[in-house]
Amino acid sequence: MALIGILGGMGPLATVDFFERVIQLTSAAGATCDQEHLPLLVANLPHIPDRSKAMLKSGADPLPALLAGIDMLNRNEVDLIAIPCNSAHYWYDAMRARSRAPILHIAEACVAAIARGTRRAAVLATGGTLAAGLYQKILERHDIEPLVPSGPTQQHIDACIDAVKAGDLDASAAELAAALAEFAARGAEAAVMGCTEIPLAARRIATPPMMLIDSTLELARVTVSYGMTRGWNMRS
Amino acid sequence: MALIGILGGMGPLATVDFFERVIQLTSAAGATCDQEHLPLLVANLPHIPDRSKAMLKSGADPLPALLAGIDMLNRNEVDLIAIPCNSAHYWYDAMRARSRAPILHIAEACVAAIARGTRRAAVLATGGTLAAGLYQKILERHDIEPLVPSGPTQQHIDACIDAVKAGDLDASAAELAAALAEFAARGAEAAVMGCTEIPLAARRIATPPMMLIDSTLELARVTVSYGMTRGWNMRS
């Protein structure tokens, strides 16, 4: 039996969101009963040290805990790994080098979903992900100009993420709307939500001023497509 | 590090629901950041043969696949196991005998949440769970008269469960409302939702005619309480 490993818990609600989207996308692709869904092993490991703080050199190194999670999934003989946390992808190369199973890349999946013809895309992410240039590099490779937040805009984004982690979705949506208004004024035609907490806030905004690309959803799409193409949803 | 194992995929959306409730209850109990949540290993194994069909002697035996899931969780050294599927508890004794880690019992958790003074409680469950008497036995032990569905009522309940598994929550709520109306006419003061799909339909009913006890939520409460009491949400 094939098995898809999920390295999660960063944060736990984002992992639930990713898990739910995988199930919904599998149903949308035709699964009509339990037995037509994809086998998943979800390692929800919330104790992994804060990724954003570490990227800003102000916190413990999460790499040993990330590699322990990768090892756990490989010990269970998973055939593919998805990691629903953007910041964790700062350590992508080290995890990929350690893993027998291939690891999908959340930012590659997200940028691939931006509409053709887009010239300028805002990057909504943690300070750490922004400082590491995770999305900027991939956007530039696709000839899209990355717009990074000003200091005051980043304060709204950080407040949005913190509110989601604390379970206050109304507050999170207000902070996100403020950040989007500033990016709209700067000519952004799309915004990549490069943090798995942000899409939970975005669902409370009925009409965003630009196209929002949800990294969690796009990673889920690639995960389901990978598994369904190989028939992993059917008992072998 | 302590780890809570979840044997899931029966069905997958019910497992997502349970997972989300565990996270929400942990937040409600005071977790304010990722690192204060409970480590979980969720084995979402949807290929386990249909439990209800097997209980009605019309399908493959799911016990080997259930025990393989229990073995997988124990190989990962989980400290506790929760199984968000009522029907699977027909094989509870065999799973408990096989497992090193203790296994919570969903029906015990659910019945313990019925209000004091309740004399008659409806049992909403699959035909298999009803035929096995899983809830009736526990209710009688608590001096509560179990009301089981008539044939036409059970058709509504089965249609409700199938609609949830197919992702059609509006249809599922209409079927559940019809079943509840019939139980209300028979004097039910409470109804145990002894199938993890039914609570997903119940959320679409604003004012149910009696108190509904959600087996998924009650299992999540016991799971979080077990882990938090032992400090498993804090890195040791």
Side-chain angles (χ1 to χ4, degrees), chain A residues 35 40 42 44 47 76 235, chain B residues 40 42 44 47-48 76 235:
Chain A
Q35 290 74 21
L40 307 170
V42 185
N44 185 72
H47 293 175
N76 285 280
R235 184 202 304 270
Chain B
L40 307 170
V42 185
N44 185 72
H47 293 174
I48 296 172
N76 284 280
R235 184 204 303 270

Side-chain angles (χ1 to χ4, degrees), chain B residues 2-199:
Chain B
L3 189 62
I4 298 175
I6 312 300
L7 182 56
M10 304 176 280
L13 265 191
T15 300
V16 169
D17 183 41
F18 175 76
F19 186 5
E20 183 168 25
R21 284 163 179 278
V22 166
I23 306 305
Q24 288 170 337
L25 288 167
T26 309
S27 288
T32 57
C33 65
D34 294 355
Q35 290 73 21
E36 292 173 6
H37 278 269
L38 294 161
L40 307 170
L41 184 66
V42 185
N44 185 72
L45 305 175
H47 293 174
I48 296 172
D50 190 286
R51 284 67 58 196
S52 189
K53 283 183 186 157
M55 289 157 89
L56 298 167
K57 314 293 180 202
S58 68
D61 181 6
L63 184 57
L66 288 169
L67 293 179
I70 294 292
D71 288 348
M72 179 193 226
L73 293 173
N74 276 290
R75 275 199 307 275
N76 284 280
E77 301 183 344
V78 299
D79 301 281
L80 178 72
I81 293 176
I83 309 173
C85 170
N86 283 274
S87 302
H89 285 71
Y90 179 69
W91 293 272
Y92 179 80
D93 290 344
M95 291 189 285
R96 187 176 55 177
R98 176 81 152 235
S99 181
R100 184 192 43 74
I103 306 178
L104 298 175
H105 194 297
I106 193 170
E108 296 283 0
C110 187
V111 170
I114 297 176
R116 293 172 192 282
T118 300
R119 290 158 300 176
R120 275 181 302 278
V123 182
L124 307 172
T126 62
T129 302
L130 282 162
L134 187 71
Y135 273 91
Q136 295 94 306
K137 288 172 196 164
I138 298 172
L139 286 165
E140 283 168 353
R141 207 187 315 132
H142 286 77
D143 292 323
I144 299 170
E145 182 191 344
L147 297 182
V148 300
S150 65
T153 308
Q154 188 61 32
Q155 287 179 8
H156 287 302
I157 296 169
D158 289 341
C160 166
I161 295 168
D162 290 344
V164 171
K165 285 188 189 280
D168 186 351
L169 293 179
D170 288 332
S172 72
E175 297 288 353
L176 178 59
L180 292 178
E182 293 173 36
F183 275 120
R186 290 171 60 194
E189 298 155 315
V192 292
M193 299 189 286
C195 169
T196 46
E197 265 68 30
I198 298 173

Side-chain angles (χ1 to χ4, degrees), chain A residues 8 13 31 36-37 54 63-64 70 79 122 132 139-140 157 160 184 187 192 196-197 208 230 235:
Chain A
L13 265 189
E36 293 172 8
H37 277 268
L63 183 58
I70 294 293
D79 301 281
L139 286 165
E140 283 168 355
I157 296 170
C160 166
V192 293
T196 48
E197 266 68 32
R230 289 163 177 77
R235 184 202 304 270

